[in-house]
Each structure stands twice: as structure tokens, then as C-alpha cells.
Amino acid sequence: MKRKLWLRHLAVLTSLALVLAACGDADDDADVDDTDVEDVDDTDDDVDDEDADDEEALDIERPERDDVLNLGYLLPETGDLSTLGLPQIEAVELAVEDINDAGGVLGADVTLESGDEASDGAVAREETARLINAGVDAVIGAAASGMSQEVIGLLHDNEIVQCSASNTSPAFTDQDNNTYYFRTVPPDEAVSGIIADEVIGDGYSNIAVLSRADDYGVALGELVVEALEEQGVAVAVDDSYNPDDPDFAALVTEVDNAGADAAIVIGFDEAIDLFRQLIEGGVSSDALYGADGLFGPHLLDDVGTDIEGLKVIGAAGGEEFNERLNDRLPDDQQGNVIYGGQAYDCTIVIALAAALADSTDPVDFNDTIEDVTGDGTECTSFQECMELIEDGEDIDYVGASGPLEIARPDPTVGRYAVGEFVGDELQTVGEYDADLGDL
């Protein structure tokens, strides 16, 4: 993949705290992740048979549709990724409030049904069946790509629209059962370039890339290495570790022996100890970088040593939206806004598509998803966009997470934030828009 310079540095923001969490999947059964997703072809005959058996075992019986847009979310309220679920759930609820305050969809308030996928594949399938039986027309989620792969077949077969704010696996782009699926976050090819540009921009030129040895870590690690090497930067170490039994001593020694001047860590909370050992081994904390799986305020306490200057990079909304979302978060989660803008936009796009289709039937509004985010008059809120639709105008919704410009199933523009640990908080220090057309 030839990579062009495609980042547009929009702004250096002030001290809004940004707490980001992993878009991954810690469930061994799924063994996939948004940042952790294996390429699954659900059109295989064996998979089709399994899907049919699963649906029968789950006792799915979808009720008759009504004229109300009924939404559901399938996000981790509990489990290993609950920190990731919180900002997305709050963002979806905020979007529903904004929609209903503006008059709802087709004259009726939008409803919202909750679903906890608990970072567990079996639970995700059961919750999806419950949402289907509750009569939802669209589902926001799941958080991890692995969890979405667990349920995408069920939603596809029942003709229910699915939007994920945090699935970054490339697998979704081309798989055959994505007819009712779209996402508001780009695949991993986008964030890998941002990570590389940020490290190079800080002046480092001999870099270690350390990844967990699973689909998430291997895939994203390879993309980061490729992005670094395309800009002529030496990769001193390209190595991985077993996330189920991490032993970092040899890895830290390898980094030291290679004379690496910076390290990029692609992992989840198991890699917190790797950060600590790298610092103890002589790597300066301001030469350490984490991908989205390591965003979070807990790093300040859990690493167990000073992490001043350590940076983390991931998808988020813009500054104005992040402030709105932050006001809804509990005190111990202030700034945890990762994927919040993307979840908000999932909800708004679905509602606008239903309004444009003049139908709350997902078979109808599934066909208008792309129509509300491109080739029209720009609008930045549900109410503003609805006024244009009612006037018969084509619309281009520019959302909390940027212009989107969805080309099913992917957005063609993504918004990312860089967080840096300064003092006792994680501050947003940069915001980038990525145009996938330039990749």
C-alpha cells in the first residue's frame, strides 16, 4: 500500500481531558477485535448453517413493525471493555435526546433499548436476540469487531440495520453479510498513519513496535511498521508478545539492545506493565506511544511510575462535542470520550436516513444511509438537517466525528485525537481528519 501524506492537522486544543479506551475484544472465544478482528467470511456454507442453527437455538421471533423508529445498542455495560462502552452509551442517549427534542422521526419519539454485550460472544448473541424480539429497527454496536462478527449474521438475516462506532477491522469492508452494516470509524489503515506521523513528528527515527500477538496487534502492528518504513524511518524492533501470558523481560532487553529511541505499544491493559518496564529500562516516558487499546485515565495510577509526556492516539469527536459528552460522564470518568462522537453519529445518521426514506422500516432506510452524508447541503445537527429534508433538499450531515461521507460500509473521512499525559490528567493536544481516499 503506497501511502501519501494525507493528514490535515486541524488544531492544537487546550486542556480538555481525553480518556480513551480500547476498541478491542478481550473475549478469547471471539479472538477478534476492532482493533482485534479476524477476517471472517460468513457466507461460507458451514457458517450459514451455523447461523441458522444459532438463530433457531436463540428462539428469535421478530414482532410486527410499527411506525416508530426503535433503536437498540449492543455495547459493553459490564466486562473487560466497559470503560469503552460508557462514552458510547452516553453518546447514543444524548443523540436520542437531541432527536426527540427536535420532534423525533416521522412525528414520533425515537425509542432506545439497551443491550449489554459484556465482552462475551455468547452474551452478545443472546442480547442481540432479545433486541430483535423487542422490535428494534437498528442496533448501535457492538464495540469490538469480534463482538460484531458474533452478531452481524443475526442482524443481517433479520434485516436490521447495524452501525458500529468502533469496529476498525478491515474484514467488514468486503464480507458478504454486511448489507445492513455500516460504521462511522475508518478501518485500521487510517489510524496507523496517524500514529506513525505523530512519532516521526516528535523527532524519533529508530522506533520499536511492540504488539500483542493476536489479530488486533498483528494487523495494526504491521500497518504501523509499513507506515514508518514508507517515510524512511528505521524500525529497530518489530516484535509481539502473548497477551495471555505476557513476559516482557526479553522484549525490554531487545528494545535496549536495539538502541530504539521510542516505542509504540499496541495492546490492552495487559501492556500496562510493559510501559512500566520500558520506563524502568531507560526509555523516557515522553518517547512512549499507545494505540487506542491503551487509552484511559487508569494509566496514570496503574503504570506505577511517572508517565509525563506519554501519548495515546485514537478516534473521537471534535472539541465541542467532547465537552458536551464530558458533562454527562461521572467524576471518575471525566474525559473518557473515545468513540463517543462516532456513536452519536451512528444514531443521528440512522434517524436522518429513516426520515429521508419516509419509513421506519430498515429495509427502506437502509438504502438511504449514504444519501444523508454526502452530495448535499451541509448541516451539523439533526434539527438543521431535518429542516433541509422537509424543504426537499439533499443533505450532507457533518457530524461530531467529522464529515463521514459514508461509502457503505465505511466512512471515507475519520476524525482522530492525540492525548498526552500532562501532570495528573490526559489532555487533548491534537486533532486530525483522515481522508481514506488519500490512502
Side-chain angles (χ1 to χ4, degrees):
M1 177 184 70
K2 185 176 180 180
R3 181 176 176 276
K4 302 175 184 177
L5 286 177
W6 51 274
L7 292 179
R8 177 162 53 91
H9 190 218
L10 298 180
V12 176
L13 308 177
T14 54
S15 59
L16 172 66
L18 173 65
V19 180
L20 299 172
C23 51
D25 181 359
D27 184 358
D28 290 338
D29 291 336
D31 194 28
V32 215
D33 170 81
D34 107 335
T35 39
D36 174 0
V37 183
E38 61 185 292
D39 193 347
V40 178
D41 182 359
D42 287 297
T43 61
D44 183 272
D45 290 341
D46 292 338
V47 175
D48 285 344
D49 291 341
E50 291 172 7
D51 285 346
D53 291 343
D54 284 347
E55 190 161 342
E56 183 176 350
L58 289 168
D59 194 25
I60 293 175
E61 187 174 350
R62 193 176 68 188
E64 291 187 10
R65 299 201 183 278
D66 54 29
D67 294 328
V68 174
L69 181 60
N70 300 301
L71 303 180
Y73 67 72
L74 182 70
L75 294 165
E77 296 176 331
T78 60
D80 293 339
L81 298 181
S82 58
T83 301
L84 172 63
L86 174 64
Q88 294 194 56
I89 292 168
E90 290 293 339
V92 171
E93 292 177 347
L94 177 59
V96 170
E97 290 174 12
D98 286 348
I99 292 165
N100 290 340
D101 286 346
V105 173
L106 303 180
D109 281 354
V110 171
T111 70
L112 180 62
E113 184 81 15
S114 64
D116 180 13
E117 43 101 321
S119 306
D120 182 279
V123 173
R125 291 190 295 273
E126 291 169 359
E127 284 289 273
T128 300
R130 184 181 62 77
L131 291 173
I132 294 171
N133 291 341
V136 301
D137 304 305
V139 170
I140 294 91
S145 294
M147 293 298 99
S148 282
Q149 291 290 6
E150 293 282 354
V151 304
I152 190 172
L154 290 174
L155 295 170
H156 172 273
D157 292 347
N158 284 277
E159 299 177 322
I160 294 171
V161 168
Q162 177 185 5
C163 179
S164 175
S166 53
N167 292 166
T168 65
S169 166
F172 293 100
T173 299
D174 297 320
Q175 66 187 63
D176 289 346
N177 64 351
N178 68 3
T179 307
Y180 285 85
Y181 174 93
F182 74 102
R183 53 184 165 185
T184 51
V185 64
D188 279 330
E189 286 86 347
V191 73
S192 60
I194 293 175
I195 293 171
D197 280 8
E198 192 67 25
V199 178
I200 294 170
D202 286 343
Y204 299 109
S205 59
N206 193 40
I207 300 161
V209 179
L210 312 174
S211 312
R212 55 183 276 147
D214 62 3
D215 294 301
Y216 162 50
V218 170
L220 183 52
E222 288 177 351
L223 289 167
V224 169
V225 168
E226 182 178 357
L228 291 167
E229 291 179 340
E230 284 179 350
Q231 295 194 55
V233 173
V235 177
V237 177
D238 176 11
D239 208 346
S240 59
Y241 62 88
N242 181 353
D244 296 322
D245 185 24
D247 181 0
F248 300 123
L251 208 56
V252 172
T253 299
E254 184 179 6
V255 170
D256 183 51
N257 291 341
D261 57 7
I264 300 167
V265 177
I266 301 169
F268 301 138
D269 282 357
E270 83 288 331
I272 288 172
D273 195 45
L274 175 55
F275 274 145
R276 179 183 59 79
Q277 291 186 39
L278 285 168
I279 293 170
E280 291 175 349
V283 180
S284 175
S285 59
D286 60 8
L288 293 176
Y289 299 80
D292 49 7
L294 281 158
F295 267 111
H298 58 294
L299 293 183
L300 285 165
D301 296 324
D302 292 350
V303 173
T305 188
D306 182 22
I307 57 171
E308 184 82 13
L310 187 153
K311 287 183 177 179
V312 283
I313 298 130
E319 180 181 13
E320 182 178 350
F321 175 80
N322 289 345
E323 289 175 349
R324 288 188 72 197
L325 180 57
N326 200 53
D327 288 342
R328 301 173 65 94
L329 298 174
D331 290 343
D332 63 347
Q333 290 294 323
Q334 286 296 294
N336 183 7
V337 296
I338 189 170
Y339 299 119
Q342 286 73 16
Y344 182 90
D345 287 344
C346 274
T347 314
I348 298 295
V349 167
I350 290 168
L352 290 173
L356 183 62
D358 195 27
S359 172
T360 61
D361 188 331
V363 174
D364 297 328
F365 69 74
N366 185 57
D367 293 335
T368 56
I369 296 293
E370 290 177 274
D371 297 335
V372 301
T373 63
D375 295 330
T377 302
E378 285 192 3
C379 49
T380 57
S381 70
F382 178 78
Q383 182 169 350
E384 182 185 5
C385 291
M386 279 302 302
E387 290 171 357
L388 293 171
I389 290 174
E390 289 166 358
D391 289 341
E393 293 193 42
D394 294 332
I395 66 168
D396 178 5
Y397 171 64
V398 178
S401 59
L404 293 173
E405 297 179 15
I406 294 169
R408 299 290 293 271
D410 300 331
T412 56
V413 178
R415 179 160 290 168
Y416 295 85
V418 178
E420 180 178 346
F421 286 94
V422 179
D424 60 353
E425 64 181 13
L426 182 60
Q427 298 181 4
T428 303
V429 296
E431 181 182 288
Y432 295 85
D433 273 2
D435 185 342
L436 273 70
D438 290 339
L439 292 179

